[in-house]
Amino acid sequence: MITFTINDQKVTAKKGWTVLETAREYGIEIPTLCHHPAVKPSGACRLCMVELKEKNWSKLVASCIYPVAEGINVYTETPRVHNVRRWILEMLLASCPASPEISALAQAHGVVSTRFKIHDPSQTCMICGLCQRICEEVVGLSAIAVVDRGVHKKVGSPFMRPTDVCVACGCCLTVCPTGAMKDIFDTVRGEPKMPLTQLAM
Amino acid sequence: MHDHALAEQSDALRLRSLDDLNRLRKQILDKRDPDQPEIVVCHGTGCLANGSADVSAAIRSALDTSGIEAKVVPGIKTTGCQGFCSHGPLVVIRPRGIFYQKVKPKDAKEIIEKTIVQGDVVKRLLYKNPTDGEKILHEQDIPFYKRQTRVVLHNIGKIDPTDISDTIASGGYQALAKALTTMTPEQVVQEIETSGLRGRGGAGFPTGRKWRSALTAIEKKGRPVYVVVNGDEGDPGAFMDRTIMEGDPHAVLEGLILGAYALGANQGYLYVRAEYPLAIKHLTIAMEQARACGLLGDNILNSGFSFDARINRGAGAFVCGESTALFTSIEGNPGNPRPKYVRSVEEGLWGRPTVLNNVETWANIPLIVNKGGDWYAKIGVPHSTGTKVFSLVGKVNNVGLVEVPMGVPLSTIVEDIGGGVPGGAPFKAVQTGGPSGGCIPYELKDTPVDFDSLTKAGSMMGSGAMIVMDNRDCVVDVGRYFLRFLEEESCGKCMPCRLGLSRMREILDNFSEGKGSEKDIEDLLSLSKAIQDSALCALGSSAPNPVLTTLKYFKDEYLAHVTRQKCPAGVCKNLITYSIDPELCTGCTSCAKQCPVGCIEGEKKKTHAIDTGLCIRCGICMDTCKFNAVNVI
Ligand SMILES: Cc1cc2nc3c(=O)[nH]c(=O)nc-3n(C[C@H](O)[C@H](O)[C@H](O)COP(=O)(O)O)c2cc1C
Ligand code: SF4
Ligand code: SF4
Ligand code: SF4
Ligand code: SF4
Ligand code: SF4
Ligand code: FES
Ligand code: FES
């Protein structure tokens, strides 16, 4: 067992746990978007940042991937942590303006408007890659891909053409934190090789 | 030319001991006549681009037809980049050290006839000192070279990088032979620790400490362990690693083999960006020749130690230079940074302990092993030992590659070696450390250039790119440029970097149009802080640096954009007006002829004027006017 503190509260965790897992075990709230217990953490959204403090230094780490260690002191509600959350949510409000999930989360953290220009009012996807990870790691299919890099990054079926690899299991729809998969899904799924009714038999 | 054949007689050439190496070295040196003239033609990427291959061909054919007596026939040697690319193609006549610059193929005949046969100088090809107009005869008297200390670059410009016998003649592989025959791996690590060498790839992490922690990781996890060269060099304006790989590939290789010996690695990788074909070619040749000589591969110098390496071509993305992205790329996956909080010395390539060092870091290793860590630690300053190679670009007279001891004042590099800003005005700032470095203003020109002082000034050493700016460079514009670069180069995985950098750039875009407020400046600071705190890899977390340092040192210039709608440097198009000073205008009409929209009016020999309503602010009139009559504010 590993002992450390979160917000000055003593906690114990099993070796190999992350800070986020420990916090959830103790009911300590840390907001997340790209995390899902069914897949390996990817550290993409950075909403789960927490501050690690030692005597005269401190740094921010992503709690969903940070492994617990004896004696660390974790803080989940510091000015630096709030600054990160505020800006990520404010930017997401502008990037995924059509996502009610994002608006609700932002509002819960006191971010009700965005200073940034909205380029696409209908956008909902934050390109967190969770749908791809679930399809690959849990369903074992890789019907969805995240392609390109930087500002050109996109999510969809390979080559953005409908694919009959998808078996319409709906996993991606369930885990998508922004509701974007609802809109994207039709472009992912092509004519199935086998009718779904037959598949069920 | 001398001993090319050597490399071909593979087995006969295999060296089996330090004695063998020394015997070969003596044999090569004995065959050489120190008085025989040698014509050295730079075949670095810069000079090749300026036509130096044609120059060396022309020199060869001029020699063939010159009918010089066999006794005085000069050798011709082609070398890597000599650093003074802006004056290439360079031709140096040794042993006299006569330095010809901007040589054209048609000059070849004259060089042979005058300099080689008659011993005279072709004056028109000499370098002219821009400060006093004096022509300078010798390489070592040119201010650009005079103030440098060439340690890592000591071979470049002297050896033919495609011929291992040249390397061996100049002392190459002596350090390896010494280590294999007289030192334990532990002693090699200790020398590196003693030297105080810090990584040249960006962060300045102490190399000895990195190797030591790899040894600790090996104790826990066992071998294999890998050694890797980071030759990705993606900073705009940086070309020091390219120069070393092209000009002295054996130095990198010898360093890598020494590291492998110290750590007990049997396999290494050289990750070289695909845009560096000449570096890849020279490294490939070097590895083949080293293998043939028994310096790489099985049972090196019959010591029982075996090590081989292979080259991986970089995927061409800036982020692939980041250590974890580089590993994923070598493993055959898209080069994205890994989100793990594990050090790569413990879990690097294929999850194994791995030591990744920069090209220049590796090239320092043979020097340290040869001359000792104590010797090395005396160069430079206490916490930044040794020398550093910088690429000096931008608004500076002598664009090129510069090597100086750590800790020299910034002004020595920019003004004494670089010759300052063309036209003689003081520089405005120097951007050090590449796209995620910072701007150091003229007031801090005495800042010692070492890891810690640069960090203290808000910038960083980075890979060693230095971009000189003058008062015609706008800090808002510079910030936009670097952000745009990083926006394109970001892998896009994490939100603070993918979203944050473009949002920062949008704020600056507004500034450049005179839109914005002091509140926006505050937002920029706090958003920068959030990105620094939360980005997944160092590309994102260091990206705000140029903006943060310019905000620190040039806040007034930002304020001028947002409160007065003015761009003091005259760069941001929406905020400037061109006008003609009637006192200075002679009515020569040149500007009116050049203006692309025809908005300059005036009669011949009478004052001209610009119709500011039509002017598209292209600046052509200003560049055209010989009387400095065009102003921009
Ligand atoms: C975005 C990014 C790009 C980098 N590019 C390079 C590079 O091109 N060459 C390099 O040697 N190091 C580069 N680095 C630094 C490497 O991650 C690593 O620290 C370095 O290669 C270690 O070698 P050193 O200790 O010898 O400096 C980069 C880092 C980041 C974050
Ligand atoms: S569709 Fe949903 S899960 Fe997939 S990348 Fe977009 S936001 Fe993430
Ligand atoms: S519905 Fe299709 S795309 Fe989504 S997880 Fe299942 S197989 Fe993959
Ligand atoms: S900081 Fe930028 S480059 Fe690094 S992982 Fe995040 S998005 Fe990719
Ligand atoms: S080029 Fe200069 S001097 Fe000539 S007309 Fe234009 S402003 Fe006047
Ligand atoms: S800035 Fe360009 S468009 Fe304007 S007056 Fe000069 S040449 Fe013409
Ligand atoms: S939840 Fe940790 S980075 Fe997204
Ligand atoms: S390429 Fe010749 S001096 Fe740089």
Side-chain angles (χ1 to χ4, degrees):
Chain A
M1 281 312 227
I2 290 166
T3 309
F4 64 103
T5 69
I6 301 180
N7 301 337
D8 295 324
Q9 175 189 348
K10 205 174 122 186
V11 294
T12 53
K14 287 203 184 115
K15 194 167 179 257
W17 279 15
T18 61
V19 167
L20 180 69
E21 280 168 314
T22 318
R24 297 241 155 126
E25 188 73 17
Y26 282 84
I28 298 166
E29 183 67 25
I30 297 174
T32 61
L33 275 168
C34 70
H35 175 79
H36 194 281
V39 289
K40 286 197 234 90
S42 89
C45 73
R46 318 306 282 177
L47 201 64
C48 68
M49 300 303 288
V50 294
E51 190 162 352
L52 222 60
K53 286 189 187 171
E54 276 301 311
K55 274 186 208 73
N56 46 11
W57 64 265
S58 82
K59 68 172 176 185
L60 265 60
V61 298
S63 62
C64 69
I65 39 178
Y66 198 82
V68 293
E70 195 62 41
I72 55 173
N73 299 302
V74 175
Y75 293 86
T76 64
E77 307 292 334
T78 68
R80 272 171 89 185
V81 169
H82 288 160
N83 189 49
V84 167
R85 274 185 209 158
R86 173 240 158 150
W87 281 111
I88 291 178
L89 290 169
E90 193 169 332
M91 292 192 293
L92 284 175
L93 271 187
S95 296
C96 317
S99 163
E101 287 86 348
I102 294 287
S103 310
L105 184 69
Q107 190 145 23
H109 287 89
V111 181
V112 289
S113 66
T114 179
R115 60 151 292 147
F116 299 112
K117 203 157 136 194
I118 290 169
H119 299 292
D120 178 0
S122 66
Q123 186 57 266
T124 44
C125 175
M126 65 183 275
I127 323 172
C128 66
L130 188 52
C131 49
Q132 178 201 16
R133 288 185 286 134
I134 208 102
C135 188
E136 184 185 331
E137 290 177 38
V138 177
V139 189
L141 280 177
S142 294
I144 319 171
V146 178
V147 295
D148 241 323
R149 62 183 157 95
V151 283
H152 309 290
K153 224 175 169 79
K154 280 193 288 289
V155 61
S157 47
F159 309 107
M160 298 298 148
R161 283 203 210 100
T163 169
D164 53 21
V165 173
C166 169
V167 296
C169 68
C171 287
C172 54
L173 282 161
T174 321
V175 299
C176 173
T178 66
M181 202 22 99
K182 285 200 294 287
D183 309 328
I184 302 174
F185 191 63
D186 288 340
T187 69
V188 171
R189 183 147 168 81
E191 247 347 277
K193 276 208 183 101
M194 214 186 283
L196 286 175
T197 43
Q198 206 172 320
L199 207 85
M201 286 174 357
Chain B
M1 51 115 240
H2 293 284
D3 319 279
H4 267 305
L6 270 179
E8 266 123 54
Q9 330 163 345
S10 86
D11 212 43
L13 211 106
R14 201 180 156 86
L15 306 171
R16 290 184 170 78
S17 63
L18 175 60
D19 285 345
D20 271 7
L21 179 67
N22 286 334
R23 219 169 301 133
L24 174 63
R25 185 177 182 195
K26 186 162 180 305
Q27 209 182 336
I28 298 166
L29 290 172
D30 284 350
K31 263 200 263 170
R32 295 185 178 178
D33 172 1
D35 298 326
Q36 186 200 24
E38 190 171 53
I39 305 176
V40 178
V41 185
C42 179
H43 267 207
T45 295
C47 287
L48 283 175
N50 284 321
S52 73
D54 292 339
V55 172
S56 56
I59 290 179
R60 258 188 199 108
S61 72
L63 256 185
D64 289 344
T65 56
S66 69
I68 307 182
E69 279 178 59
K71 215 171 83 207
V72 286
V73 169
I76 298 179
K77 180 179 284 187
T78 56
T79 70
C81 169
Q82 307 186 7
F84 211 10
C85 313
S86 50
H87 289 261
L90 304 183
V91 174
V92 182
I93 317 289
R94 299 234 159 85
R96 290 177 64 195
I98 297 170
F99 184 88
Y100 291 143
Q101 44 109 55
K102 299 192 178 163
V103 180
K104 302 231 154 34
K106 66 175 169 47
D107 301 321
K109 205 156 160 256
E110 204 177 343
I111 293 177
I112 302 298
E113 281 169 6
K114 262 193 154 164
T115 311
I116 302 294
V117 180
Q118 297 164 17
D120 281 347
V121 173
V122 187
K123 283 224 175 62
R124 112 188 107 75
L125 296 175
L126 292 177
Y127 171 76
K128 192 165 107 188
N129 194 350
T131 48
D132 58 10
E134 281 300 311
K135 296 252 178 172
I136 300 177
L137 181 61
H138 293 119
E139 186 181 10
Q140 67 270 21
D141 296 328
I142 295 172
F144 177 76
Y145 288 113
K146 209 164 152 180
R147 300 292 299 267
Q148 295 194 42
T149 307
R150 295 208 152 203
V151 176
V152 178
L153 302 177
H154 73 287
N155 266 339
I156 298 179
K158 302 208 170 67
I159 61 160
D160 176 347
T162 61
D163 180 1
I164 194 172
S165 39
D166 240 21
T167 295
I168 288 175
S170 74
Y173 293 103
Q174 290 288 329
L176 178 64
K178 175 182 170 186
L180 292 181
T181 50
T182 67
M183 295 166 81
T184 61
E186 171 59 26
Q187 283 171 320
V188 176
V189 178
Q190 280 171 14
E191 284 304 334
I192 305 305
E193 285 175 325
T194 309
S195 73
L197 174 67
R198 292 172 67 173
R200 284 358 186 193
F205 193 84
T207 308
R209 206 193 303 162
K210 189 187 279 185
W211 293 18
R212 180 66 66 199
S213 34
L215 287 176
T216 315
I218 294 165
E219 267 173 36
K220 265 197 284 178
K221 304 179 68 168
R223 293 196 166 79
V225 51
Y226 298 107
V227 284
V228 184
V229 178
N230 191 342
D232 195 50
E233 196 170 54
D235 289 19
F239 56 105
M240 39 266 150
D241 293 346
R242 185 189 77 199
T243 297
I244 296 173
M245 292 186 283
E246 284 177 6
D248 196 1
H250 288 288
V252 183
L253 204 53
E254 189 183 359
L256 188 67
I257 306 170
L258 281 164
Y261 175 66
L263 298 158
N266 303 114
Q267 180 65 47
Y269 297 86
L270 297 100
Y271 190 87
V272 187
R273 64 186 284 131
E275 289 92 331
Y276 283 179
L278 196 63
I280 292 174
K281 185 174 154 203
H282 287 186
L283 284 166
T284 308
I285 295 174
M287 282 162 63
E288 280 164 12
Q289 295 184 350
R291 267 187 217 111
C293 291
L295 296 163
L296 183 68
D298 282 340
N299 197 8
I300 295 172
L301 287 173
N302 272 24
S303 64
F305 169 65
S306 299
F307 170 76
D308 216 327
R310 51 171 295 183
I311 296 175
N312 280 71
R313 282 158 200 254
F318 176 67
V319 73
C320 288
E322 193 273 338
S323 49
T324 62
L326 186 147
F327 296 144
T328 17
S329 177
I330 292 184
E331 289 165 6
N333 297 311
N336 291 343
R338 284 180 195 161
K340 287 189 191 157
Y341 289 101
V342 193
R343 291 178 311 154
S344 55
V345 288
E346 287 170 24
E347 213 171 278
L349 264 183
W350 293 291
R352 302 300 315 168
T354 304
V355 164
L356 170 74
N357 279 122
N358 163 262
V359 166
E360 192 183 330
T361 314
W362 285 117
N364 270 298
I365 303 295
L367 298 161
I368 295 169
V369 171
N370 238 339
K371 301 191 181 174
D374 286 323
W375 163 81
Y376 193 85
K378 286 198 196 89
I379 311 172
V381 287
H383 295 287
S384 296
T385 58
T387 59
K388 175 80 192 92
V389 185
F390 294 97
S391 67
L392 198 57
V393 297
K395 307 284 180 57
V396 60
N397 274 310
N398 301 330
V399 167
L401 211 62
V402 171
E403 182 176 355
V404 288
M406 290 275 189
V408 303
L410 185 62
S411 57
T412 303
I413 300 176
V414 178
E415 291 174 340
D416 302 344
I417 297 172
V421 171
F427 65 83
K428 172 174 178 172
V430 180
Q431 161 91 13
T432 74
S436 39
C439 282
I440 300 183
Y442 184 75
E443 296 80 70
L444 297 182
K445 70 180 167 51
D446 295 325
T447 304
V449 178
D450 59 60
F451 286 107
D452 307 321
S453 308
L454 288 180
T455 308
K456 221 169 84 193
S459 183
M460 61 182 199
M461 180 74 76
S463 57
M466 280 195 181
I467 305 172
V468 183
M469 299 178 218
D470 69 2
N471 57 13
R472 302 278 299 151
D473 290 304
C474 160
V475 290
V476 173
D477 194 59
V478 166
R480 291 169 70 205
Y481 169 81
F482 286 121
L483 283 170
R484 210 175 295 125
F485 174 84
L486 292 169
E487 227 179 290
E488 287 294 323
E489 295 299 325
S490 148
C491 83
K493 176 167 178 170
C494 71
M495 306 300 143
C497 177
R498 171 158 48 80
L499 305 178
L501 302 187
S502 27
R503 294 307 185 178
M504 280 182 74
R505 202 247 314 132
E506 282 179 13
I507 297 179
L508 292 187
D509 285 351
N510 279 341
F511 288 1
S512 76
E513 289 166 18
K515 296 180 218 144
S517 64
E518 288 188 54
K519 161 86 170 45
D520 290 332
I521 297 182
E522 273 162 41
D523 278 1
L524 205 50
L525 282 170
S526 118
L527 174 56
S528 293
K529 189 83 192 104
I531 296 172
Q532 285 182 322
D533 270 346
S534 63
L536 188 155
C537 85
L539 184 145
S541 62
S542 59
N545 282 348
V547 171
L548 287 175
T549 48
T550 49
L551 270 173
K552 178 167 163 193
Y553 297 121
F554 300 96
K555 180 119 186 239
D556 286 348
E557 197 172 330
Y558 278 89
L559 285 171
H561 285 75
V562 300
T563 58
R564 292 189 286 120
Q565 282 73 47
K566 285 275 174 262
C567 174
V571 174
C572 297
K573 283 197 178 181
N574 290 298
L575 308 183
I576 55 179
T577 319
Y578 282 90
S579 62
I580 292 172
D581 183 343
E583 300 281 318
L584 293 173
C585 176
T586 64
C588 76
T589 75
S590 317
C591 61
K593 285 194 195 110
Q594 296 294 326
C595 175
V597 292
C599 69
I600 306 179
E601 304 249 320
E603 281 170 45
K604 217 171 166 173
K605 301 215 171 109
K606 296 235 170 74
T607 302
H608 280 48
I610 295 171
D611 182 341
T612 47
L614 293 176
C615 170
I616 57 164
R617 301 182 266 265
C618 68
I620 289 174
C621 50
M622 191 161 178
D623 295 336
T624 308
C625 181
K626 290 194 189 71
F627 305 95
N628 289 327
V630 181
N631 294 320
V632 56
I633 40 158

